[in-house]
Amino acid sequence: MNEEYEEFDLIEEIIRNDGSKYFEISNIDQNGIAELAVDHGLIKNVRILQLNIPRTKALVIYEKYINQNYHLETLNNERDWKNPTWIEWEKPKGKILDSYNLVLKSNQIG
């Protein structure tokens, strides 16, 4: 669980080490952690596809779920940026997955 709530405002494409890809909704801090994960060989590549996505109800639902269920590493914590980990966030069926898909669809991603 995260001590500080993080708002999401971008969509990125993550390429796993096996070459498969997925999209993630995050923010510039989490994108920085993803870039470090690339440098450490935890994922193959990351790139930002959309910046400044609208703060819709669907975005807030997904964002709250991630903040409540995952420890979000931060570039403000030296331990996080020196030894990043990479956890692909699960998107459970139902309200969370529907919200995630709606954010992607409304931003013409996927």
Side-chain angles (χ1 to χ4, degrees):
M1 298 251 230
N2 191 23
E3 297 84 31
E4 290 188 39
Y5 188 90
E6 291 195 29
E7 290 187 354
F8 296 158
D9 60 0
L10 62 83
I11 299 172
E12 56 194 3
E13 177 186 66
I14 309 291
I15 300 179
R16 300 175 186 101
N17 285 333
D18 67 4
S20 62
K21 70 178 179 179
Y22 70 100
F23 303 108
E24 194 52 81
I25 303 162
S26 67
N27 59 29
I28 201 69
D29 198 37
Q30 295 306 308
N31 179 261
I33 294 294
E35 293 285 353
L36 289 170
V38 170
D39 292 346
H40 285 80
L42 303 173
I43 55 177
K44 191 173 191 173
N45 196 25
V46 61
R47 69 183 179 125
I48 295 173
L49 300 177
Q50 185 75 32
L51 289 169
N52 300 320
I53 60 175
R55 288 203 55 76
T56 61
K57 182 177 178 181
L59 174 62
V60 172
I61 289 169
Y62 182 70
E63 175 184 276
K64 283 182 182 178
Y65 163 76
I66 297 300
N67 273 276
Q68 290 171 352
N69 290 282
Y70 290 93
H71 166 74
L72 300 178
E73 293 183 335
T74 176
L75 296 174
N76 293 327
N77 183 335
E78 184 176 358
R79 185 175 23 122
D80 289 345
W81 57 261
K82 280 191 171 182
N83 297 302
T85 58
W86 189 255
I87 297 172
E88 186 172 333
W89 300 334
E90 293 184 30
K91 293 141 186 81
K93 288 182 181 177
K95 186 168 119 174
I96 302 306
L97 182 58
D98 292 347
S99 295
Y100 166 83
N101 286 329
L102 185 56
V103 170
L104 295 182
K105 183 178 179 181
S106 65
N107 285 279
Q108 301 175 355
I109 304 288

